[in-house]
Amino acid sequence: MASADVTLVFLDPEFPRGRVVDAGAPQLFVTDLGPARGDGIFETLLAVDGQPRKLSAHLSRLATSAEAMDLEIPGREAWAEAVDHAIAEHGETFGAQERSRLAVRLVATRGNEAVHAPAENAKAGLQPTCWVQVTPSSLPSKADAKPIKVLLLDRGYDSGAAARAPWLLLGAKTLSYAVNMAALRHAKKNGADDVIFTTSDGRLLEGPTSTVLLARVAEDGTKTLYTPERKTGILPGTTQSAIFELAEQAGWKLGYGPLESDALFTADAVWLASSVRLVAQVETVDGTAIGQDPELAARLTDELWDFAERIS
Ligand SMILES: Cc1ncc(COP(=O)(O)O)c(C=O)c1O
């Protein structure tokens, strides 16, 4: 049974470009530590017209996440081949139209803890389970992206936790996203669209699936783009990084925090940025409108979208 518009390619040493499997058939053991414990890592990237965007940055972050949790995963080439294969396979199966904008997810779990291999074949340790999943992206483009309402939520740790307690894996993109999803549900139940997390001592962190960006325009017209400080334990955003590079080339100044939550209310515009959604303009935070000048905010948002759409 084929599954709706999903293409799956497992990384497998016997298949240099990865092994295509039926996404409509069972593929994971329930004893795999990914589903069983959320013990694994992932990346989600955007592919446009068959080309993955910022693949190298995503592969680097996957490797950093793996290192943070002592997970040995296949090398960059194996992942890049599997991504390429999965996108091509998706195009062949579902047609070119489906290929125009795709979400590509790379997942590595710690492996199946109940491998019943004969003793002589038993491997020394667990082998990670790794796959690439491709689905059409239904997320908005610049033309239909709507400003969003955001709630500020306490993430429950202070700004020193990431350095003090590395086992919290705060800068790693692990499969344990239940807290992030719960925060999004909380926002929806309370009439908002998304969330910005803060530390318990009031520093700005990130969204559950995005990086916070904010802009200020000085009286002399100088534009500065800010993002919260990474060492407070946020995921280093590949979209933020790419947008910063393009903004700097366009003459913007850059600022890397630390930022307190009141920085949102004195900004001229605030956005959440991520690989698949690209840019979402924040309209209100806890019900308070962001920016004094809606036209200026709209102009800045336009510029940010231009940067985001130029990311390759
Ligand atoms: C917690 C978190 N922060 C930030 C981001 C944005 O990262 P990127 O721009 O690399 O997609 C994501 C993306 O999913 C995320 O999950």
Side-chain angles (χ1 to χ4, degrees):
M1 180 186 72
S3 183
D5 293 6
V6 182
T7 300
L8 270 185
V9 170
F10 273 69
L11 276 72
D12 183 331
E14 289 175 23
F15 294 75
R17 288 184 41 80
R19 177 170 45 89
V20 179
V21 300
D22 180 353
Q27 301 295 347
L28 275 188
F29 287 95
V30 294
T31 44
D32 191 287
L33 290 167
R37 291 195 191 275
D39 193 355
I41 54 176
F42 76 107
E43 283 294 321
T44 307
L45 58 95
L46 181 69
V48 179
D49 297 331
Q51 292 304 314
R53 287 195 169 173
K54 11 178 201 66
L55 180 61
S56 177
H58 284 282
L59 291 178
S60 298
R61 192 169 64 187
L62 189 74
T64 309
S65 298
E67 202 180 327
M69 54 198 289
D70 305 318
L71 186 60
E72 273 186 39
I73 59 167
R76 300 171 73 91
E77 251 168 55
W79 285 104
E81 286 290 343
V83 166
D84 194 55
H85 191 181
I87 292 173
E89 181 72 20
H90 194 83
E92 271 166 37
T93 313
F94 300 109
Q97 208 184 349
E98 294 297 346
R99 288 182 55 181
S100 65
R101 212 166 161 186
L102 302 170
V104 181
R105 179 165 293 209
L106 286 59
V107 184
T109 81
R110 199 169 298 280
N112 178 11
E113 67 175 343
V115 186
H116 297 294
E120 66 269 21
N121 292 337
K123 303 242 168 72
L126 284 178
Q127 293 302 302
T129 311
C130 303
W131 70 91
V132 173
Q133 171 193 311
V134 176
T135 49
S137 164
S138 58
L139 291 149
S141 62
K142 176 180 179 175
D144 50 21
K146 298 224 166 37
I148 56 171
K149 297 179 173 55
V150 163
L151 295 187
L152 269 183
L153 298 183
D154 183 351
R155 187 66 179 75
Y157 51 75
D158 65 56
S159 51
R164 199 172 62 238
W167 50 88
L168 294 179
L169 300 171
L170 291 179
K173 197 163 168 68
T174 76
L175 290 175
S176 310
Y177 260 48
V179 167
N180 306 41
M181 297 300 107
L184 285 175
R185 284 195 303 277
H186 179 86
K188 303 258 151 79
K189 275 185 218 154
N190 287 278
D193 307 296
D194 214 315
V195 166
I196 293 177
F197 285 126
T198 61
T199 61
S200 52
D201 50 345
R203 295 275 178 84
L204 282 184
L205 287 169
E206 60 189 343
T209 62
S210 59
T211 309
V212 177
L213 307 182
L214 57 92
R216 290 212 185 97
V217 183
E219 279 184 9
D220 67 359
T222 307
K223 290 176 272 192
T224 308
L225 192 55
Y226 298 88
T227 196
E229 171 179 57
R230 286 183 172 176
K231 71 175 194 225
T232 39
I234 60 177
L235 192 73
T238 62
T239 313
Q240 169 270 316
S241 188
I243 287 179
F244 265 44
E245 212 178 299
L246 292 164
E248 190 172 37
Q249 286 165 17
W252 291 57
K253 301 235 168 309
L254 305 176
Y256 293 90
L259 298 170
E260 310 262 316
S261 41
D262 58 0
L264 298 172
F265 301 102
T266 55
D268 290 305
V270 174
W271 304 274
L272 296 182
S274 59
S275 296
V276 175
R277 186 169 53 169
L278 296 180
V279 175
Q281 186 192 351
V282 176
E283 183 174 48
T284 65
V285 173
D286 288 349
T288 300
I290 297 300
Q292 307 296 313
D293 178 349
E295 267 179 36
L296 172 63
R299 266 203 321 276
L300 294 168
T301 299
D302 229 48
E303 252 188 278
L304 227 72
W305 263 102
D306 289 344
F307 298 143
E309 287 181 336
R310 277 168 46 207
I311 296 172
S312 53

